[in-house]
Amino acid sequence: MTRIRDVVKKALATGYLTVEAENQLRHLLTTRYDLEDFNAFMTLQEAAMTGEVRQESRERFNLV
């Protein structure tokens, strides 16, 4: 099973969060996860806010 930290690791490595990965994160956040996954998600949030990671969903709708 994929973990939140796996999705985050890929997004940080590529600098890009796909719509598919966002949907996967939404699903994973509704399940039980540990502190490491929570911290990874918070790292991703910060990276998105600072522009370190771009979001496909925002680019699709010109919200960037």
Side-chain angles (χ1 to χ4, degrees):
M1 174 180 228
T2 303
R3 299 172 299 184
I4 293 170
R5 67 191 88 152
D6 299 327
V7 177
V8 170
K9 184 177 179 180
K10 183 174 180 181
L12 292 173
T14 63
Y16 197 71
L17 183 65
T18 65
V19 170
E20 180 181 334
E22 280 190 59
N23 289 332
Q24 194 172 21
L25 284 171
R26 279 189 197 91
H27 170 73
L28 290 169
L29 288 167
T30 65
T31 64
R32 292 185 60 90
Y33 51 86
D34 61 19
L35 183 59
E36 189 175 343
D37 281 325
F38 175 77
N39 288 333
F41 181 71
M42 295 308 293
T43 299
L44 178 61
Q45 290 287 86
E46 185 176 343
M49 289 187 315
T50 61
E52 192 177 330
V53 170
R54 295 179 6 246
Q55 293 175 261
E56 179 183 13
S57 63
R58 293 191 180 270
E59 291 177 355
R60 265 189 182 178
F61 303 107
N62 292 324
L63 299 176
V64 177

